[in-house]
Amino acid sequence: MFGLPWPLEWTVIALAVYYAAAALVRVWTASAQQKQVAAFQHKVRMEKRNSGDKLKNEMQSLLDAAATVGGAASARRDQRILALVNPHGGSKTAPQVYANVFEPMCRTLGVTLELQLTTHAGHAINIARAAAESGEIGLIVCFSGDGMVHEVIKGVVEAAGEGGRMTTPLAIMPCGTSNGLAMSLYGTVDPCECADKILTQCQARSGSLVSLRSVDATTDGDVFDPTEHYDVMGVSQAVVGDANYICEDKLRWMNNLPFGGAIKEGIAAVYLILLMRKYHVHIAMRCLPVSAEEVASHRYRTPQNVQGVRPLRGPPHGASSDPNGEWFEVEHGWTWCETSNISHIAKDCQTAPGSKPSDPHMDLLVSRGHNRFQLAASFLRAEHGTHIHDDWFQILKVAELVFTPRNASHQYYMSGELAGTAGQPIVCRCLPDKGLFWY
């Protein structure tokens, strides 16, 4: 056709079709978003005709009262929404989602909106801390992937001081490749649907945070790294940690390609299933009681009925002395070893079905004793959360964990960001009511 050798000719054709399809998807997506925004604006205008500024006043009242949900002594007045946009994160769609979706919807509703762009790693920490300390921001909305959330939580917690609670709530607009938090909070990753829910259906609610702190195994449990990390999603390691490393380090460049996020996740999944690496980790866990219904539905297993689990006489080194629950330990070569505080770690991976940020506990998900075909099937079933019925998965209801890896290069991640010290034990705790989220 082009006078080229046939392999090269078909490669050119395939690339042309690929980029043409991507262009069509972008045009269709933009058109669909315009229609959804127009429908929202029409709804608000009709409401204004019928009942004046009812929607605006309701939203403003929720913004002004948000700090009291987090423990503040009194409500504040004239609170604004802070839109925190990372133009380089995830799929790099954050500026467009803000300009084409969220800002027009806020303008129509009549709420005051402030925009700040992040320019470097850690910038969101400083912005969130300043916003929380100002007492003028009733809601921080993150426009990025899940990684920015980790930074924003750190900034807001730092503003609260030692032992304090978040007093500025957090929402997220899905602009990343995984978007697990948006799926968990709003049940969708459609930007227009999320914006509609944030502006007309949600409010500030207390929730749990997950804390992570490294412990030096050579000093009888003394704190090795004084930094305490906070997150809402949980702690990833083992196969999910390796997936984070592959997608966000080795294949991050693919974000610049059409459908690059989905392609890199598919490559990582196939590679890790074929590899099926085992991660040797000793786990000490403070388990909470489970109901007969939770056991019957495969929601949780009792630790006494999990192979290899042994009771501990007391908390291990580095753990708290909280008497709530019983301590157990287990050691094995795991493939999955995931600690979840919410239902989804990605929009299509529901690791802990039924989990909510308001739960006063975490889910520990571990897998062992499966082959590659079984692992691949579980990956597919995880989209709907039915993997919990697989015999090789165990899910335990826990309040605190001490992980001791047997590999010096073992890594921990929170919302896709590295946390803790590689190869060192960590203490992971659920902190009920310390978080504040808008859902």
Side-chain angles (χ1 to χ4, degrees), residues 91-111:
S91 56
K92 296 182 173 59
T93 59
Q96 290 75 32
V97 170
Y98 171 81
N100 299 333
V101 177
F102 198 75
E103 192 278 334
M105 293 170 75
C106 285
R107 186 173 2 105
T108 302
L109 190 61
V111 294

Side-chain angles (χ1 to χ4, degrees), residues 4 142 156 159 223 242 278 389 420:
L4 299 172
C142 294
V156 177
V223 172
D242 278 356
K278 294 183 179 179
H389 300 290

